[in-house]
């Protein structure tokens, strides 16, 4: 007979987020994980002010997908992949990233008795369906990886259930962070997003006596604020080591800078007919001007005539 209370005491919470290249969503660029083991909570009776004691048990993983480490979003969903705030960043190829996910979702109930199986897992995220679809499409992560999952919590739904968000529209993550009175730094970086999601979720379910509405950092002698707790967790997480992948990777030149058109090299209107052959070498996907415009440039390639005429009309005389 299944001992459900004992299973609940051994629950694992996994909060994660993903990022991809906006011009090709089949290029997964990052996975961010924030996870903790409820068994680590047995040493204290309260989650602490602003969830301080609980959040100190969270472990953070930031994995950049090595094959796509050279692609960067610069207009839509821009994020600085080198500005991850929580945990340490490592580079993993797609195969290692899949194995990492499998290990995170399959924690042994008791390492000395593997026949007991794995701990039940609660999966958490913000607009989680998109992240799950991303892992399935890009890494081929199949249902067996998630067969330990017993519950899914999406903060877009949780904020309504806890009355933390009462507006008609769906809450985006940045709005939830603002409602919780702490700073959201370096958005659209997968591990930062996972950390912000988990911190917001903890804030939503804490009893009122364990949180204040003060914003910013505390003043001398004043009570600790949520921002104080977030800053401390962020700093401590920088010393969390993990072993999948490598600490660095040979990253190619960013794709959006692969071909830069130098102004003085663009033909003037009078010389355009002599440069039609050169225009055939124009690759929209590698063009800096195209990248700055964002994903709307995807689709049918411009004809040679249209590219040439458009370039001819541009004046680069100084």
């Amino acid at each position: 007979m299944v001992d459900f209370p004992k299973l609940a005491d051994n629950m694992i919470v996994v909060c994660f987020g993903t990022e991809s290249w906006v011009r090709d969503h089949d290029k997964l660029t990052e996975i961010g994980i924030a996870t903790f083991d409820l068994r680590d909570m047995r040493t204290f009776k309260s989650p602490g002010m602003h969830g301080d004691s609980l959040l100190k048990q969270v472990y953070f993983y930031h994995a950049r997908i090595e094959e796509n480490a050279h692609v960067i979003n610069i207009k839509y969903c821009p994020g600085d992949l080198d500005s991850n705030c929580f945990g340490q960043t490592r580079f993993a190829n797609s195969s290692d990233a899949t194995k990492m996910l499998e290990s995170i979702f399959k924690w042994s109930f008791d390492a000395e008795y593997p026949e007991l199986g794995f701990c039940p897992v609660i999966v958490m995220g913000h607009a989680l369906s998109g992240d799950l679809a991303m892992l399935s499409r890009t890494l081929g992560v199949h249902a067996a990886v998630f067969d330990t999952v017993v519950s899914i919590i999406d903060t877009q739904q949780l904020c309504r259930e806890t009355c933390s968000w009462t507006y008609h529209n769906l809450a985006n993550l940045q709005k939830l962070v603002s409602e919780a009175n702490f700073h959201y730094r370096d958005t659209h970086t997968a591990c930062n997003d996972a950390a912000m999601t988990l911190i917001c979720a903890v804030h939503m379910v804490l009893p009122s006596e364990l949180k204040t509405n003060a914003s910013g950092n505390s003043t001398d002698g004043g009570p600790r604020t949520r921002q104080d707790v977030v800053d401390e967790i962020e700093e401590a997480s920088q010393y969390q080591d993990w072993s999948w992948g490598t600490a660095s990777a040979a990253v190619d030149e960013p794709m959006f800078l692969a071909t830069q058109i130098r102004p003085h090299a663009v033909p003037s209107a009078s010389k355009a007919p002599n440069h039609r052959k050169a225009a055939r070498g124009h690759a929209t996907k590698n063009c800096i001007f195209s990248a700055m415009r964002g994903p709307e440039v995807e689709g049918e390639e411009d004809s040679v005539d249209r590219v040439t005429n458009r370039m001819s009309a541009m004046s680069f005389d100084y």
Side-chain angles (χ1 to χ4, degrees):
M1 184 176 179
V2 178
D3 187 344
F4 288 106
K6 188 173 183 179
L7 282 175
D9 287 340
N10 292 272
M11 199 82 71
I12 308 297
V13 177
V14 178
C15 182
F16 75 95
T18 62
E19 290 290 336
S20 65
W21 195 34
V22 295
R23 297 196 60 202
D24 183 354
H25 288 292
D26 286 336
K27 292 186 183 297
L28 176 68
T29 56
E30 301 171 80
I31 302 173
I33 302 285
T35 182
F36 64 92
D37 186 339
L38 285 182
R39 292 172 290 190
D40 295 332
M41 306 281 289
R42 297 171 184 169
T43 57
F44 47 87
K45 296 180 180 180
S46 167
M49 196 66 183
H50 300 299
D52 180 22
S53 298
L54 185 156
L55 292 172
K56 285 180 178 177
Q57 310 305 316
V58 178
Y59 212 94
F60 299 92
Y61 305 82
H62 181 226
R64 290 182 61 178
I65 306 305
E66 196 166 30
E67 298 94 322
N68 301 323
H70 62 295
V71 295
I72 300 174
N73 294 326
I74 58 174
K75 182 177 180 181
Y76 293 94
C77 302
D80 185 352
L81 282 69
D82 294 322
S83 295
N84 176 59
C85 298
F86 291 85
Q88 295 184 6
T89 299
R90 293 182 68 84
F91 293 82
N93 59 37
S94 295
S95 176
D96 282 345
T98 302
K99 293 175 183 176
M100 179 193 76
L101 286 171
E102 290 175 348
S103 69
I104 288 173
F105 281 92
K106 294 185 181 296
W107 290 36
S108 294
F109 192 84
D110 189 328
E112 295 184 2
Y113 300 97
E115 65 273 12
L116 294 178
F118 303 106
C119 295
V121 175
I122 296 176
V123 173
M124 183 183 296
H126 186 83
L128 192 56
S129 60
D131 294 307
L132 293 172
M134 176 75 68
L135 294 179
S136 175
R137 185 174 68 252
T138 60
L139 296 182
V141 175
H142 47 81
V145 173
F146 302 113
D147 62 4
T148 55
V149 175
V150 296
S151 181
I152 294 178
I153 298 175
D154 194 316
T155 48
Q156 280 192 329
Q157 181 63 30
L158 181 64
C159 66
R160 293 195 182 282
E161 294 174 352
T162 58
C163 297
S164 302
W165 184 262
T166 57
Y167 303 100
H168 177 71
N169 59 305
L170 290 173
N172 63 42
L173 184 54
Q174 200 157 358
K175 288 287 187 181
L176 292 183
V177 171
S178 177
E179 290 288 319
N181 281 328
F182 65 97
H183 300 306
Y184 190 178
R185 294 186 284 265
D186 297 300
T187 61
H188 295 298
T189 302
C191 199
N192 291 345
D193 286 355
M196 298 297 105
T197 299
L198 180 58
I199 294 169
C200 283
V202 170
H203 166 71
M204 292 177 203
V205 300
L206 280 177
S208 57
E209 62 268 20
L210 292 181
K211 53 187 177 183
T212 65
N213 292 323
S215 59
N217 294 104
S218 60
T219 56
D220 292 340
R224 295 176 74 229
T225 66
R226 188 167 299 106
Q227 188 63 59
D228 292 330
V229 172
V230 172
D231 290 347
E232 290 172 9
I233 300 302
E234 177 184 322
E235 183 177 359
S237 73
Q238 305 298 317
Y239 300 95
Q240 296 176 343
D241 294 323
W242 57 289
S243 58
W244 287 105
T246 59
S248 60
V251 180
D252 294 333
E253 186 179 6
M255 183 169 286
F256 71 87
L257 293 177
T259 301
Q260 293 192 25
I261 300 177
R262 298 181 181 179
H264 62 268
V266 178
S268 63
S270 61
K271 296 181 180 179
N274 297 327
H275 287 76
R276 291 184 183 275
K277 184 176 181 180
R280 296 179 188 275
H282 176 82
T284 301
K285 68 178 182 179
N286 293 332
C287 176
I288 182 63
F289 302 122
S290 167
M292 289 296 290
R293 286 173 56 200
E296 69 272 17
V297 301
E298 293 289 3
E300 183 180 355
E301 291 286 334
D302 281 332
S303 68
V304 172
D305 286 341
R306 277 188 292 174
V307 171
T308 303
N309 291 337
R310 191 179 304 148
M311 293 171 66
S312 299
M314 299 172 68
S315 175
F316 294 96
D317 296 329
Y318 295 95

